[in-house]
Amino acid sequence: MKFKTKGFTSLLLTCLFTTAAFSGVILYMTPRGRVANWTGWTMLGLDKHSWGALHINACLLFLLVAFLHLFFNIKVFWSYIRKRSSGLNLKLEMVTALLVTSLLIVGTLYEVAPLSSTIALNERIKNYWESDAPTGPAPHAEEFTLTRFASTVGLTVDDIKSALNEEGYSVEDNTSTIGFVAEENEITPNQVFTAIQKHHPEIRMG
């Protein structure tokens, strides 16, 4: 059976477009990073970082395959644009396509309705996630090392290690981040914080 390259690129484009579009929709609905990372937010088993990586790679591969698809079908493409006898074809369609694209770009950058509504909805979705979500002692506290985290909450590193050890969580060294400790113990950064608070209710926020 002969492998049909043109057919393959068309099918691959469809699959990649579907993947990029679906992951884009998921990312549109995700909470802000400080909430997603702190609470261990997931959708369909993937966290925000994984969805972002999937979306980026799908888009990059889509662009590469799109160029290949155009290369394989360049004659057909030019036949849409040009007529042998009268030069340019589809003049109105080309101008309209460029105009719609320009309106999309300008309208988005200058927040013109109804394009601004999609951004406003995105903000409302992200605010919704934050309304009942537990918060850390500082933005992106999951990226703090134990030393920095201890300073932020008004404890010593030994206090934190002792509290976590009593809860059955292992801690390697002071350079480990809260996120790394959470990952190593298969819990969320918020659960690490909760374990510390259990033994130190006086813990300082912010």
Side-chain angles (χ1 to χ4, degrees):
M1 180 181 295
K2 185 178 179 180
F3 188 82
K4 299 178 181 179
T5 305
K6 289 185 179 181
F8 167 71
T9 55
S10 297
L11 292 172
L12 182 56
L13 273 178
T14 301
C15 293
L16 291 172
F17 173 79
T18 302
T19 302
F22 184 75
S23 58
V25 170
I26 296 295
L27 289 172
Y28 182 83
M29 299 187 297
T30 60
R32 293 182 177 89
R34 62 175 179 266
V35 174
N37 297 334
W38 185 252
T39 61
W41 178 92
T42 62
M43 178 69 74
L44 301 178
L46 299 179
D47 60 18
K48 185 172 184 176
H49 174 76
S50 297
W51 279 114
L54 176 62
H55 183 71
I56 290 172
N57 287 329
C59 287
L60 290 175
L61 187 54
F62 178 86
L63 289 175
L64 175 61
V65 178
F67 280 117
L68 288 175
H69 183 73
L70 179 61
F71 175 77
F72 290 136
N73 297 278
I74 192 66
K75 292 182 179 179
V76 177
F77 176 75
W78 280 115
S79 70
Y80 282 125
I81 298 178
R82 296 184 62 85
K83 281 185 177 179
R84 293 183 180 180
S85 58
S86 57
L88 285 177
N89 188 22
L90 298 177
K91 293 180 182 178
L92 178 60
E93 291 81 358
M94 183 182 298
V95 171
T96 304
L98 292 173
L99 178 61
V100 171
T101 303
S102 299
L103 289 174
L104 173 68
I105 295 172
V106 174
T108 300
L109 295 179
Y110 286 91
E111 300 182 355
V112 177
L115 296 172
S116 58
S117 300
T118 59
I119 305 303
L121 176 60
N122 181 247
E123 287 297 313
R124 288 198 295 271
I125 291 173
K126 293 184 183 302
N127 291 337
Y128 166 78
W129 285 112
E130 291 189 8
S131 60
D132 296 321
T135 57
H140 299 290
E142 72 279 354
E143 298 177 2
F144 290 8
T145 63
L146 290 181
T147 301
R148 182 182 177 187
F149 189 83
S151 175
T152 300
V153 299
L155 299 174
T156 67
V157 175
D158 288 338
D159 289 334
I160 291 178
K161 284 184 174 181
S162 175
L164 292 176
N165 287 332
E166 287 189 42
E167 292 300 310
Y169 301 136
S170 61
V171 182
E172 291 189 0
D173 55 57
N174 297 357
T175 61
S176 297
T177 64
I178 295 298
F180 179 79
V181 172
E183 183 179 353
E184 287 294 293
N185 290 278
E186 299 182 348
I187 56 176
T188 68
N190 180 58
Q191 289 175 303
V192 173
F193 187 48
T194 300
I196 297 171
Q197 280 185 309
K198 181 177 178 180
H199 295 270
H200 298 279
E202 77 284 3
I203 202 167
R204 187 172 69 226
M205 296 291 289

